[in-house]
DNA sequence: GATTGATATGAAAATCATTTCCATCTAGCG
DNA sequence: CGCTAGATGGAAATGATTTTCATATCAATC
């Protein structure tokens, strides 16, 4: 198995999670290209079809590491499956996600950040983190469902 | 197996999720008594030890039904496990939960509800729901960790 | 460019929460 | 008292994620 694997431009980010390997660059590139939330399995399949197979465990490891390094946002879909989305900037974001097609839009979370901070401050709790997700049906999917089963 | 199972006062709520059975009353009573978030398995064990065993599948079914009937709030812990908490009132709540001991406190969520509503309104999305959770380390658990591994 | 030790990979097996199956029970009603 | 739709529970199935461990490869050093 030498060398005929398509090289993907490894964004500098790869270095942030340890050694810079071919697989990590591939997974990261795929995540960036996805432009939305994807599951580990979906990414795995995408790479498989694309001719750049990466082991499923490696996909999981890479995505988990990216999330830990704040390079990816993570949400859980209704079945409890984890979905990952590449995050360009340093600050975390919150999204409005379509439960039908997965379309995700960052929302203005300023107010909710302030609220969370205030709660954290006035509580005696330490190291307070928050999870905020909005989910609904996007216009396209809604249109598609008018009077149809 | 006749009749020596301790009767638990079935809150009227049992009726809300179909037939009023002994098991559902038992599960609901245990959930109320828990006074915090519990997993299905934890509740199952509690009942087992308490001498009022209820099948695990039934525990799951009951908790799921209670949640669907807005009688319980649900969160996911860091491992993706679902935790349930009995909800006395009609309105949903959000909590500040201790990641160490599970202690959960309802927080004032007025501002975040308004925020979520505004986002929902200004987006074109339909049927928008939200998930909001705060998690940290409670005073007791924090104290317990000072300078200790 | 060869050596090498720390890391990373991946296929398969293991975990673990949750669901489904299905044979058996029972609440609720006439 | 029956009757039956709905409920139960133990076992088996499902499905995502993690672990295992033998093998491969990064990257620093000679
Ligand atoms: Zn959609
Ligand atoms: Zn935030
Ligand atoms: Zn605590
Ligand atoms: Zn709310």
């Amino acid at each position: 198995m030498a060398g005929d694997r398509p090289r993907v431009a490894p964004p500098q980010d790869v270095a942030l999670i340890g050694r810079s390997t071919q697989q990590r660059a591939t997974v990261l590139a795929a995540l960036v290209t996805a432009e939305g939330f994807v599951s580990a399995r979906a990414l795995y399949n995408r790479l498989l079809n694309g001719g750049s197979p990466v082991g499923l465990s490696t996909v999981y490891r890479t995505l988990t590491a990216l999330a830990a390094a704040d390079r990816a946002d993570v949400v859980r879909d209704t079945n409890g499956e984890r979905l990952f989305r590449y995050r360009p900037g340093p600050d975390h974001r919150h999204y409005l996600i379509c439960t039908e097609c997965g379309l995700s839009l960052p929302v203005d979370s300023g107010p909710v950040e302030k609220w969370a901070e205030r709660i954290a401050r006035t509580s005696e709790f330490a190291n307070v983190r928050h999870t905020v997700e909005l989910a609904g049906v996007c216009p396209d999917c809604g249109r598609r469902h008018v009077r149809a089963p």
Side-chain angles (χ1 to χ4, degrees), chain A residues 18-144:
Chain A
R19 285 225 291 243
S20 169
T21 70
Q22 181 108 196
Q23 289 88 336
R24 283 176 187 177
T26 305
V27 172
L28 179 50
L31 182 65
V32 172
T33 308
E35 289 188 3
F37 283 93
V38 265
S39 67
R41 185 127 230 147
L43 219 45
Y44 169 81
N45 288 329
R46 205 166 294 192
L47 294 175
L48 198 58
N49 296 332
S52 309
V54 173
L56 183 56
S57 356
T58 299
V59 172
Y60 268 107
R61 283 188 281 240
T62 305
L63 291 176
T64 303
L66 283 171
D70 289 317
R71 240 60 215 182
D73 289 310
V74 189
V75 302
R76 283 193 189 270
D77 71 4
T78 41
N79 313 310
E81 192 174 14
R82 251 135 81 191
L83 305 179
F84 302 80
R85 172 172 166 153
Y86 178 69
R87 182 162 90 214
D91 307 325
H92 81 228
R93 296 169 163 189
H94 301 287
Y95 300 86
L96 173 54
I97 304 174
C98 176
T99 51
E100 303 285 319
C101 68
L103 172 69
S104 55
L105 304 172
V107 296
D108 163 37
S109 53
V112 91
E113 299 298 338
K114 290 198 192 70
W115 169 81
E117 265 173 50
R118 183 170 58 73
I119 299 284
R121 187 153 22 80
T122 57
S123 78
E124 307 275 281
F125 279 51
N127 197 10
V128 178
R129 308 198 117 298
H130 63 265
T131 302
V132 174
E133 288 166 36
L134 300 178
V137 181
C138 80
D140 279 4
C141 292
R143 206 167 294 132
R144 197 172 300 135

